[in-house]
Amino acid sequence: MKDQINTYLAEIEIFTAKTKDELEQFRIKYSGKKGILNDLFAGFKNVAAEERREMGVLLNELKGRVQEKIDTLRESLEGEQTAAGPARDLTLPVNFTDSGSRHPLMIIRNRMIEIFSRVGFTVAEGPEIEDDWHNFSALNFAPEHPARDMQDTFFIEKDPDIVLRTHTSSVQVRVMEKTKPPIRMIFPGRVYRNEAISARAHCFFHQVEGLYVDKNVSFADLRQTMLYFAKEMFSADTRIRLRPSYFPFTEPSAEMDISCNLCGGKGCGFCKYTGWVEILGCGMVNPNVLKNCGIDPDVYSGFAFGMGVERITNLVFNVKDLRMFSENDVRFLQQFESAWQ
Ligand code: DAH
């Protein structure tokens, strides 16, 4: 009986009627006095007690489907056959629904994830409310180190151990504490700093951090990965340069520039006539950081990098004012509808 009902259900699903007559035949076949439904309901008393429940549900479903089919086909056949033309008035105004579009920052973030995932990086996330250890101490920021001033954040007076994270580097620590190398991951997320809001700075923004820890990871691996990223993100003829820099959590550390994507490196107002624009910080993971996270720096080495999503988005879409990203002005946001999603 069960198989039979399922066959009927499939038949009903695909049934369609071209004329009212065909529909009437269908109705008689299933819902007529001597129709299938009556037949099945009559046979229900013979169903074994333990199958009754399931069979009852199935039978009722079949009944519902038959009625549904009859109703929809009748409606559409009547619509087509009225002398006055189609039942639907095509001149009535339409209810427009805006499909919306992705936020430009998310378009770029997704693009970054896609680029890095192609070379084996997976994604992890961490909390925006951090503790001092993960945001600073484990990353080799000594308590009084001046580098902490460069990333002033919002502390909670009652408990200065709790901070809004200033960078996604904190997720490196969380991952390394829990995962054995090899680790090849990126960490996208929102970060906070105690900054006055202007066209170039905001009290919150977004970063994508990267980490690769394994045996024999070298600076050459870092450079090649960054070159790959720059070419994929901007254009195949993009060049990169690494300048020595300082971060407590990397040694050596570097600031990375790309050849200006507006003038191609010739020099213009945008790149201040240098031909280069800075896009990220990177370096070899400081052995102290590996040790703090329980990874033996004599066995493993790694590289890390961190970049601002706003910065890259500004460069790709030529947005000049950071504040536009959080003002929710649809005139701004709509311009990215057709950009790569
Ligand atoms: N965390 C740094 C910042 O917010 C960016 C950064 C620089 C991250 C170098 C890194 C790195 O992983 O290696 O300014």
Side-chain angles (χ1 to χ4, degrees):
M1 189 159 163
K2 195 169 151 191
D3 287 347
Q4 208 180 4
I5 295 179
N6 280 327
T7 315
Y8 290 140
L9 279 170
E11 188 180 285
I12 294 164
E13 171 86 26
I14 56 169
F15 177 76
T16 162
K18 283 193 235 33
T19 61
K20 281 185 175 176
D21 260 1
E22 277 178 34
L23 178 58
E24 183 57 10
Q25 303 281 320
F26 174 84
R27 193 194 64 75
I28 293 168
K29 177 173 170 193
Y30 280 96
S31 307
K33 255 199 177 141
K34 292 185 185 150
I36 290 168
L37 283 174
N38 277 347
D39 216 29
L40 287 171
F41 276 101
F44 188 64
K45 58 178 181 299
N46 303 328
V47 172
E50 63 273 19
E51 284 177 18
R52 284 197 155 204
R53 216 190 140 77
E54 191 193 358
M55 228 31 100
V57 172
L58 256 182
L59 264 180
N60 278 324
E61 182 178 349
L62 183 68
K63 193 174 165 193
R65 289 289 171 85
V66 169
Q67 199 52 48
E68 213 177 275
K69 196 74 181 193
I70 293 172
D71 290 347
T72 38
L73 288 177
R74 183 170 290 153
E75 196 183 305
S76 72
L77 285 170
E78 276 172 2
E80 277 164 25
Q81 288 178 11
T82 45
R88 288 177 197 85
D89 182 352
L90 299 179
T91 64
L92 284 175
V94 175
N95 283 336
F96 281 111
T97 45
D98 277 334
S99 59
S101 60
R102 243 184 252 289
H103 192 282
L105 292 176
M106 295 302 110
I107 294 175
I108 296 299
R109 185 205 58 178
N110 292 352
R111 174 96 173 140
M112 289 177 181
I113 292 174
E114 192 233 315
I115 291 172
F116 281 109
S117 67
R118 263 189 268 147
V119 286
F121 284 78
T122 52
V123 177
E125 288 178 316
E128 292 179 22
I129 302 171
E130 261 301 359
D131 50 37
D132 182 284
W133 170 255
H134 291 97
N135 197 79
F136 292 123
S137 302
L139 287 162
N140 208 30
F141 286 80
E144 303 303 328
H145 199 284
R148 288 193 179 215
D149 282 349
M150 285 157 48
Q151 299 195 0
D152 189 18
T153 182
F154 302 96
F155 292 87
I156 291 173
E157 273 179 11
K158 264 197 193 155
D159 184 355
D161 189 43
I162 297 174
V163 301
L164 287 181
R165 69 178 175 193
T166 57
H167 51 186
T168 40
S169 306
S170 54
V171 194
Q172 280 190 30
V173 178
R174 289 187 174 272
V175 165
M176 284 193 282
E177 282 173 339
K178 283 200 303 252
T179 322
K180 276 189 132 206
I183 299 168
R184 196 164 12 167
M185 284 185 164
I186 52 170
F187 315 117
R190 182 176 289 183
V191 302
Y192 302 82
R193 300 231 179 137
N194 187 6
E195 301 257 4
I197 298 171
S198 71
R200 299 174 63 93
H202 211 299
C203 59
F204 68 82
F205 55 100
H206 300 78
Q207 288 189 334
V208 169
E209 178 91 10
L211 177 71
Y212 181 23
V213 182
D214 202 350
K215 289 178 182 151
N216 303 318
V217 175
S218 73
F219 200 87
D221 298 318
L222 167 62
R223 193 181 186 287
Q224 199 58 28
T225 309
M226 293 299 100
L227 180 62
Y228 157 77
F229 168 71
K231 284 177 178 293
E232 293 295 314
M233 191 76 224
F234 297 98
S235 64
D237 53 4
T238 303
R239 287 164 291 125
I240 64 168
R241 93 179 165 180
L242 295 163
R243 286 177 288 108
S245 184
Y246 174 78
F247 300 103
F249 38 90
T250 44
E251 182 59 38
S253 305
E255 215 85 59
M256 184 174 114
D257 301 338
I258 55 163
S259 49
C260 176
N261 62 331
L262 281 192
C263 65
K266 285 192 206 74
C268 66
F270 184 73
C271 59
K272 302 200 187 79
Y273 300 94
T274 61
W276 298 97
V277 283
E278 185 187 317
I279 64 159
L280 58 83
C282 57
M284 301 306 292
V285 181
N286 191 308
N288 288 341
V289 176
L290 293 176
K291 242 184 275 168
N292 286 341
C293 301
I295 293 175
D296 185 349
D298 292 329
V299 180
Y300 293 104
S301 56
F303 68 70
F305 54 90
M307 62 189 128
V309 180
E310 277 79 353
R311 173 108 188 111
I312 309 284
T313 309
N314 288 351
L315 289 171
V316 172
F317 293 133
N318 202 8
V319 176
K320 300 233 164 54
D321 191 327
L322 212 70
R323 288 169 291 196
M324 299 182 114
F325 291 128
S326 50
E327 279 170 351
N328 268 350
D329 185 336
V330 283
R331 290 167 304 177
F332 170 72
L333 297 172
Q334 270 170 352
Q335 296 178 48
F336 305 93
E337 266 171 13
S338 56
W340 346 281
Q341 298 285 335

